[in-house]
Amino acid sequence: MNPTRINADFDQRVVLLPPGPEDWLPSPMPGVHRRLLDRVGDEVARATSLVRYAPESRFSFHEHGGGEEILVLDGVFSDEEGDYPAGTYVRNPPGTGHAPSSRTGCTLFVKLWQFAHGDSKPVRIDTRRAGWSPGLVAGLSVMPLHEHDGISTALVRWAPETRFNQHAHPGGEEILVLEGLFRDEHGEYPAGSWLRNPRWSRHTPYTGPEGALIYVKVGHLGAAAG
Ligand SMILES: [Fe+2]
Ligand SMILES: [Fe+2]
């Protein structure tokens, strides 16, 4: 039985620290476990999850009715189209489908049913090779991943001891910490942490000696999302 509402009030701030063994729940497919981050619905859900494939596991063919966004965190994820090693960013728009698998095992960050109307472009980016641009303050580098209708997704690399300006998120902000230790005045978030800052929230993020690499999405937590 799957819970159907997890962190489903998008006006609430959510901080999930890196998962422990008890946080990985079995999925309908043997060898595939998930950590549910947010979820509105059953097996067809507006959902954000970490998904872990054991070596030699596979998921049955499925169509992406509402689109699927994936960042491969470790291992190699595969489907009929090819292999996606750690660092690959994938967008499978509504109407696409596949039967994914993993020979090596892999961990994914997955967002389902979160495509805006008219966003029909498939995306494949190898973030280990794509270019970085300077960010708004010294020490920040940005790799844009996707932009549509005011919703932006990027990787942001924070050099050690970088301090960003205080800022507001009119459309909310979601962060997955990929490396290092990310901080703001509310806490410290080691690699594997997931944060959702509601619309109009404010903070002043910074890094210490570790620096950080984060996935960031902004603009998607407006009224329609809740
Ligand atoms: Fe899929
Ligand atoms: Fe922010």
Side-chain angles (χ1 to χ4, degrees), residues 43-54:
E43 277 310 309
V44 175
R46 179 211 190 281
T48 303
S49 316
L50 297 174
V51 180
R52 199 160 68 182
Y53 283 65

Side-chain angles (χ1 to χ4, degrees), residues 62 64 68 98 100:
H62 57 273
H64 306 120
E68 173 184 72
H98 63 171

Side-chain angles (χ1 to χ4, degrees), residues 51-129:
V51 180
R52 199 160 68 182
Y53 283 65
E56 304 296 347
S57 57
R58 49 189 58 254
F59 212 91
S60 49
F61 180 89
H62 57 273
E63 279 185 18
H64 306 120
E68 173 184 72
E69 172 184 358
I70 296 174
L71 179 63
V72 183
L73 304 178
D74 64 43
V76 181
F77 179 63
S78 302
D79 67 12
E80 302 89 324
E81 272 185 46
D83 294 328
Y84 312 105
T88 311
Y89 180 71
V90 173
R91 296 180 68 85
N92 294 318
T96 59
H98 63 171
S101 62
S102 181
R103 281 186 298 278
T104 59
C106 64
T107 309
L108 313 174
F109 175 65
V110 181
K111 293 177 75 67
L112 296 176
W113 286 88
Q114 295 172 54
F115 274 58
H117 277 298
D119 182 1
S120 57
K121 194 167 141 243
V123 175
R124 306 279 185 271
I125 297 173
D126 178 354
T127 66
R128 303 264 161 109
R129 295 213 168 86

Side-chain angles (χ1 to χ4, degrees), residues 158 164-165 167-169 173 175 182 184 197 201-205 216 218:
W158 296 63
F164 196 64
N165 315 314
H167 61 278
H169 316 109
E173 175 186 65
I175 292 175
F182 184 65
D184 65 12
N197 293 318
S201 60
R202 308 177 76 87
H203 68 161
T204 307
V216 191
V218 294

